[in-house]
Amino acid sequence: MDKYNKLKKTSYKLRKDIFTSIYKGGGGHVGGSFSIIDALTYLYSEILNIDPKNPEDINRDRLIFSKGHSCQALYWVLCHFGFYSKSYLEDYGKDGARFAGHPEFEKAPGIEISSGSLGHGPSIGAGIAHACVLNNQESKIFVIVGDGETNEGSVWEAILCASQLKLNNFYLVIDNNQFESLDKTSNILGIEPIDEKLKSFGFDVIRCNGHDFEELDLSFKKIINLDSEKPKAIILDTIKAHGISFTTGITKWHYRSPTEKELKIGLEELDKIINA
Amino acid sequence: MRNSLRDALLEIKKPGDKIYLIVGDIGFGVFEEYSKKFKEDYLNIGICESNMIGFSSGMSMNGFLPIVYTIVPFLTMRPFEQIRIDLALHKRKVILVGVGGGLAYGNLGPTHHSFEDLTLMTILPNFAVFSPSQPSESKEALTAALNHNGPSYIRLGKNGEPDLSKFMLKGNSNLKNYCYDYKKADVTILTYGAITYECIIAAKELIKDKVNVAVVSFFKIKPLPKDILEVCFESKASLIVEEHTTYHSIGTHIASKIMQRGLRGKLKILGINDKFTEEVGSRDFLLKAHKIDSNSIVKTIREMIT
């Protein structure tokens, strides 16, 4: 099995975990979790230098998960890559559970920040990146934001700042699933052409299909290997709730719990892809 | 206070330590020496307070101890949610230093005044809050903030506040007693910040008229030292004076603590009465406009004792 096929099977297995967890927990952000899960799987597998056995190592790369509502994807990816056991997720959605519906930094190894209010991660990431430069650390700082999240002015303050300080260890990853909560981003507060905007703000920019592992691989490696003083942006063109036929691109799956029947059909569909 | 804080920072800061000064394009002429001496540990991040707070949180996550400086309302109110989440919730050791607390910016107008900041900053868990009354307390506040294992806020006046030591009778690390021994006084004024001087002027005038008025100032606002409540209990009558709204304030917090224990003497709070500044003028003029100048304090105390 080639690397990309293996990664795809992993991310579809994680979709099963996410869908089941949201069903059992009585609700969660399916849409944003399914649009970012492929990129998260790719990053933890191929790019990030973070040792799950030593997750506080000062020289680690950082993944700042700013679009906190999609935490189901983060929770299950961290679990899959050995940061903690599945027991951490068993009580999700129950009173007294370890994890909330948005990530909290002290709840488990690998969760760098508490997020949920949008637009906070880029500034925090820029601060970490600047500190790394001052300390001569070679860590790379990846900040994952949603396209709707870029409505926040603070995101653009951080973009200006990263550019001004020439933080070439700062990677802004935009999960451009083209939907906010209630409608398409273009109908609310459109951001396109986001690549041109970021270029004009002084970023090296690459754009790719965020569900295609070969494209992800080529794009991330290309931008990481650029010899440039500029901060970097990777725009992932994704589809909200991508992975199951009846959730893909459907607004209501922004936040929802599947019915028992939807869970069954959904898991069967995901299994077909995993077993193909 | 601004310059004394700068001097304290220059005294405390050592090459190679992790103290890192971030200013929000404020402080002309204030940090020139610092920025030359510690070029690598200084950043004018620009006019982007939300980013400035998140950025400082990120720096502290990677081993630095940021001190963040700008004008009080822009420091505390503009980026309040970043302060709440990125600093307070994340327990980051970052020191916010605000210049121009209360009415210090006088005729620059209401956008530059701040009499809501202490309410905002004290309601956040994990925060320590300080409000020096005189230049020498800037260093005490900075030292206390450096010793606090979490985020801090230091509310400064501006510059040129008088040294109050010549009026001091006794003091400890938590409080300073001016003009008259509060244990024997008819009325004790409890206060913090630059308005302490107005209280001293008022007390001296009343003492001339044989009304024995003590002034007790404190700069540790949160956690509030227990000594402060004890002063209230040991006084026949207490007047809390603050250059801040009294609508959810340090004064009302103290009053609530006192009421829960059982009030023994009289207690009154004098501060800014739930209104923006409409008049234009210097701080002294605006203290009068808001009826918190020394004459208004004298008048209030006379009413309390009759």
Side-chain angles (χ1 to χ4, degrees), chain B residues 107-158:
Chain B
N107 64 10
L108 293 192
T111 57
H112 283 55
H113 300 159
S114 58
F115 36 80
E116 309 90 343
D117 55 309
L118 291 173
T119 307
L120 290 170
M121 303 310 289
T122 52
I123 59 176
L124 295 173
N126 302 324
F127 251 86
V129 177
F130 308 97
S131 178
S133 301
Q134 57 181 319
S136 62
E137 285 180 2
S138 293
K139 186 179 178 184
E140 291 183 65
L142 182 60
T143 305
L146 288 165
N147 288 327
H148 174 63
N149 194 22
S152 311
Y153 169 53
I154 302 175
R155 182 204 219 210
L156 299 177
K158 211 171 127 203

Side-chain angles (χ1 to χ4, degrees), chain A residues 58 62 105-106 113-114 117 120 123-124 126-128 130-132 134-135 137 157-158 161 165, chain B residues 18 20 40 43 45 48-51 54-55 58-59 61-62 64 81-82 85-86 89-91:
Chain A
I58 186 100
R62 309 294 202 286
F105 77 104
E106 283 179 318
I113 66 162
S114 302
S117 174
H120 287 246
S123 296
I124 293 175
I128 297 172
H130 184 58
C132 286
L134 296 175
N135 285 341
Q137 291 164 244
E157 290 184 8
C161 179
L165 297 175
Chain B
K18 289 295 180 186
Y20 190 92
E40 302 299 316
L43 175 65
I45 200 166
C48 52
E49 292 81 7
S50 303
N51 178 58
F55 189 92
M59 285 198 77
M61 287 177 188
N62 204 24
F64 282 84
E81 201 203 36
Q82 273 77 12
I85 295 176
D86 304 351
L89 181 65
H90 284 85
K91 304 173 190 163

Side-chain angles (χ1 to χ4, degrees), chain A residues 24-227:
Chain A
K24 285 185 184 168
H29 290 87
V30 178
S33 296
F34 278 14
S35 62
I36 196 61
I37 187 65
D38 295 323
L40 277 185
T41 304
Y42 170 74
L43 283 168
Y44 277 94
S45 173
E46 303 298 314
I47 299 291
L48 293 169
N49 176 26
I50 310 173
D51 179 1
K53 302 286 173 273
N54 190 12
E56 300 290 318
D57 182 353
I58 186 100
N59 291 315
R60 71 190 182 282
D61 290 338
R62 309 294 202 286
L63 186 129
I64 305 298
F65 199 70
S66 194
K67 47 171 279 171
H69 57 283
S70 308
C71 59
Q72 275 287 335
L74 181 70
Y75 293 159
W76 281 102
V77 164
L78 288 173
C79 179
H80 176 79
F81 285 95
F83 286 81
Y84 44 76
S85 72
K86 280 189 177 176
S87 66
Y88 277 48
L89 283 148
E90 277 168 358
D91 55 0
Y92 177 75
K94 309 284 187 294
D95 288 342
R98 174 183 291 272
F99 287 135
H102 292 91
E104 296 174 272
F105 77 104
E106 283 179 318
K107 293 295 172 71
I111 300 176
E112 297 282 357
I113 66 162
S114 302
S115 56
S117 174
L118 296 173
H120 287 246
S123 296
I124 293 175
I128 297 172
H130 184 58
C132 286
V133 172
L134 296 175
N135 285 341
N136 293 317
Q137 291 164 244
E138 290 186 359
S139 312
K140 291 186 280 296
I141 315 303
F142 294 86
V143 179
I144 301 205
V145 299
D147 58 330
E149 184 172 3
T150 66
N151 288 179
E152 296 280 5
S154 56
V155 171
W156 296 94
E157 290 184 8
I159 286 168
L160 282 169
C161 179
S163 181
Q164 176 73 24
L165 297 175
K166 299 186 171 64
L167 300 177
N168 63 0
N169 55 349
F170 178 84
Y171 295 79
L172 184 70
V173 181
I174 301 180
D175 179 12
N176 189 30
N177 64 30
Q178 300 167 59
F179 273 88
E180 303 195 19
S181 174
L182 301 181
D183 201 350
K184 289 184 80 167
T185 305
S186 59
N187 290 338
I188 301 170
L189 198 53
I191 65 169
E192 297 292 357
I194 186 68
D195 42 2
E196 295 302 322
K197 285 187 174 78
L198 287 162
K199 277 179 199 164
S200 75
F201 274 69
F203 274 57
D204 287 321
V205 182
I206 205 158
R207 190 162 186 154
C208 71
N209 178 345
H211 298 305
D212 182 315
F213 283 95
E214 189 169 359
E215 273 200 38
L216 284 168
D217 197 29
L218 293 173
S219 303
F220 271 97
K221 288 192 174 146
K222 186 176 174 187
I223 205 158
I224 285 168
N225 289 323
L226 278 179
D227 185 15

